[in-house]
Amino acid sequence: RMVTMLNKAKIVRVVRNPYQHGRMPFVRVVNKLNPGEFWGSGEVEQLEGLQDLLNAIWNQRVDNVRLKMNPPILIDQSALSDLRELTWGPGATISLATQDRALNEVIDALDLGDVTQSAYREAEEVMSIIEKVSAVSGYATGTDAESLNDTATGVAIIAEQGNTRFSFKVKVAELTGYQEMFRQFGSLLQQFTPEDFVMRIIGTDGAVTFKQVEPAALYGAFDYQVEAQSSTQTET
């Protein structure tokens, strides 16, 4: 039966399930199973913290470059003839009364130093960790990966291991959702197939034919085998 509730407190409808398969009319495809949880964990969830860290490092690096290119000014206000002249920009002029003092003793730019190289190394380290967690390296996306082995054998091993992990994830998706989805789809075909239903049939030699199928021809039990796998680039 199908039961509809409001606010988990009041039952507003109780009807028979309109579907012959008698199941919930939806399926879930789980990326990573968690005991006692319905949804499990997805790819983005396990990378969220690392992505936030990488964004913070990049933002700080950009702020450092902006401050370096446009540094603050140190100035002795007593040397200013008019505070309104204290402007900063192309072609700006500032009238100063140095009183026999060196100019850099009255006004100077604050030296913030160069952008630290550690910021670049830290970002590269975070990206390396992201590759290890997700198993998506530059080789998997069709680009170079300087942080990994660049020999032909090393590239082949890394790509193959990545495909092995992808195959495992797709297999989990197959067992948690794809098979159930096709079972329900097959049951819906049996229940709602019209009289003038035309099916495409592929023969053993690959020839394609179209045949009108009566609803009675789809009755009975069917087994579904889902060929969900990740294509490997190399063979050991």
Side-chain angles (χ1 to χ4, degrees), residues 20-41:
Q20 289 181 356
H21 53 65
R23 301 174 181 270
M24 293 288 186
F26 60 86
V27 296
R28 66 184 180 115
V29 178
V30 181
N31 183 276
K32 179 183 178 183
L33 292 170
N34 294 333
E37 293 186 8
F38 177 77
W39 293 114
S41 300

Side-chain angles (χ1 to χ4, degrees), residues 97-151:
T98 60
Q99 299 177 354
D100 298 331
R101 289 181 295 175
L103 186 60
N104 59 0
E105 295 178 2
V106 177
I107 183 171
D108 198 4
L110 181 61
D111 187 9
L112 299 175
D114 294 330
V115 179
T116 57
Q117 293 295 325
S118 61
Y120 293 91
R121 291 194 299 269
E122 290 172 358
E124 292 175 357
E125 181 66 21
V126 174
M127 294 177 66
S128 177
I129 297 175
I130 291 177
E131 290 182 356
K132 293 179 181 179
V133 174
S134 64
V136 180
S137 63
Y139 299 126
T141 59
T143 59
D144 192 13
E146 298 180 357
S147 61
L148 302 176
N149 196 326
D150 56 357
T151 63

Side-chain angles (χ1 to χ4, degrees), residues 2-209:
M2 294 178 58
V3 181
T4 304
M5 301 183 66
L6 294 180
N7 200 26
K8 299 181 180 180
K10 185 176 182 180
I11 298 178
V12 296
R13 184 179 66 168
V14 178
V15 297
R16 292 182 59 86
N17 193 330
Y19 307 109
Q20 289 181 356
H21 53 65
R23 301 174 181 270
M24 293 288 186
F26 60 86
V27 296
R28 66 184 180 115
V29 178
V30 181
N31 183 276
K32 179 183 178 183
L33 292 170
N34 294 333
E37 293 186 8
F38 177 77
W39 293 114
S41 300
E43 287 296 316
V44 177
E45 184 176 353
Q46 59 186 340
L47 298 176
E48 185 177 4
L50 292 171
Q51 186 63 56
D52 291 340
L53 176 59
L54 184 60
N55 292 343
I57 294 175
W58 279 349
N59 291 335
Q60 291 176 356
R61 199 167 64 192
V62 172
D63 292 340
N64 195 177
V65 173
R66 288 176 176 174
L67 290 173
K68 178 62 178 178
M69 298 179 66
N70 190 15
I73 302 174
L74 301 176
I75 193 167
D76 184 1
Q77 291 189 11
S78 63
L80 285 171
S81 59
D82 190 351
L83 286 175
R84 291 174 297 182
E85 291 189 4
L86 185 57
T87 59
W88 183 253
T93 59
I94 304 176
S95 300
L96 298 174
T98 60
Q99 299 177 354
D100 298 331
R101 289 181 295 175
L103 186 60
N104 59 0
E105 295 178 2
V106 177
I107 183 171
D108 198 4
L110 181 61
D111 187 9
L112 299 175
D114 294 330
V115 179
T116 57
Q117 293 295 325
S118 61
Y120 293 91
R121 291 194 299 269
E122 290 172 358
E124 292 175 357
E125 181 66 21
V126 174
M127 294 177 66
S128 177
I129 297 175
I130 291 177
E131 290 182 356
K132 293 179 181 179
V133 174
S134 64
V136 180
S137 63
Y139 299 126
T141 59
T143 59
D144 192 13
E146 298 180 357
S147 61
L148 302 176
N149 196 326
D150 56 357
T151 63
T153 303
V155 172
I157 294 175
I158 293 170
E160 187 171 350
Q161 291 300 317
N163 284 323
T164 301
R165 185 167 179 177
F166 297 151
S167 298
F168 171 76
K169 290 181 178 294
V170 176
K171 188 65 176 180
V172 172
E174 173 189 344
L175 297 177
T176 58
Y178 293 160
Q179 289 184 347
E180 174 66 15
M181 178 180 65
F182 282 104
R183 289 192 185 100
Q184 291 194 22
F185 184 71
S187 177
L188 293 176
L189 286 178
Q190 292 175 332
Q191 183 178 357
F192 299 107
T193 298
E195 294 294 336
D196 55 350
F197 181 72
V198 178
M199 178 182 293
R200 183 182 63 174
I201 300 177
I202 301 178
T204 56
D205 57 350
V208 178
T209 59

